[in-house]
Amino acid sequence: MRLERISQEIDFVERIFRNDARREVRHVLDIACGTGAPTLELVRRGYEVVGLDINEEMLTVAREKARREELSVEFMLGDAAALDFREEFDAVTMFFSSILYLNEDRINELFNSVIKALRPGGVFVADWSNLLFYRDRAFFTHENLNVYTAREMRLLAEKHFDEVIIYGDFQRELPANAWRLWLVGIKGQAP
């Protein structure tokens, strides 16, 4: 089931790459990549991908998965909110509600970092769990996650990206009962 979900998510992300990015997407930075499931799916589909995570143990698992499948991917230790890249990627991804581990200040740092890492016309894609879908907030508090509505996330992102789109589930619209929300931030073209 989890592999099916990952495949479904990457199908949707590829549609975002085709429809929303203002450049062809070939080079992808997957931040907060954990054990690398979406990272490796992107590699299988022909993208050149760098996976970055703050947890070395997770990266060890990701590297072993890549080695077993003989997939060419670089996994790096690093902080998503303090990236050291300059216009090296066509897209930056962040899956599995990882963005909810960041408070508002850290999200602003993340967006600044992502903007620097993206080439002009590049796209940032992050998903998170919809507060309105979960009537019981215990889902968020037991893991020390922050809670953001679609509007709050849009307002944060609009300070950094040329265009911001919020999608619900795997749709190009935002139904109120969407289980997952998707932030798409597009970097402007060079002047």
Side-chain angles (χ1 to χ4, degrees):
M1 181 63 161
R2 184 171 164 98
L3 289 177
E4 181 181 315
R5 175 182 163 204
I6 290 167
S7 179
Q8 201 176 25
E9 289 188 357
I10 299 304
D11 287 345
F12 181 65
V13 168
E14 284 192 299
R15 287 198 306 273
I16 291 170
F17 289 172
R18 284 190 304 274
N19 298 325
D20 297 322
R22 297 176 184 162
R23 65 178 305 116
E24 181 183 5
V25 174
R26 298 304 326 142
H27 297 89
V28 179
L29 174 63
D30 186 24
I31 55 179
C33 70
T35 61
T39 317
L40 297 175
E41 182 61 23
L42 286 164
V43 173
R44 285 184 207 103
R45 294 182 187 209
Y47 296 93
E48 294 180 34
V49 187
V50 173
L52 181 133
D53 200 276
I54 202 161
N55 185 315
E56 184 62 51
E57 291 175 16
M58 296 265 201
L59 292 173
T60 299
V61 173
R63 288 181 187 114
E64 177 57 24
K65 287 180 182 178
R67 187 195 63 74
R68 278 196 314 262
E69 288 191 53
E70 298 180 359
L71 295 173
S72 176
V73 57
E74 180 181 2
F75 286 103
M76 301 175 58
L77 185 66
D79 181 352
L83 302 173
D84 194 25
F85 299 106
R86 296 293 176 265
E87 295 191 352
E88 295 180 44
F89 298 97
D90 306 313
V92 176
T93 56
M94 189 177 199
F95 293 100
F96 301 136
S97 295
S98 297
I99 201 165
L100 296 183
Y101 286 94
L102 305 177
N103 64 27
E104 190 172 321
D105 289 338
R106 292 282 287 161
I107 285 180
N108 281 311
E109 291 171 17
L110 168 74
F111 291 164
N112 280 331
S113 211
V114 165
I115 282 291
K116 290 176 188 167
L118 283 172
R119 294 179 176 130
V123 66
F124 173 61
V125 181
D127 72 317
W128 77 99
S129 299
N130 183 5
L131 163 68
L132 300 175
F133 183 83
Y134 294 96
R135 304 283 182 227
D136 178 6
R137 289 189 178 202
F139 170 80
F140 293 97
T141 57
H142 82 279
E143 290 191 34
N144 295 318
L145 296 175
N146 294 288
V147 175
Y148 298 99
T149 65
R151 182 176 186 277
E152 290 168 329
M153 192 64 77
R154 175 187 296 282
L155 290 172
L156 287 170
E158 284 177 341
K159 297 175 192 173
H160 305 273
F161 295 96
D162 186 56
E163 183 179 353
V164 175
I165 307 165
I166 306 285
Y167 297 126
D169 294 327
F170 300 122
Q171 303 172 39
R172 296 183 59 82
E173 58 209 36
L174 185 56
N177 63 345
W179 171 61
R180 310 285 301 159
L181 299 173
W182 293 82
L183 166 68
V184 177
I186 304 159
K187 181 175 179 174
Q189 298 286 355

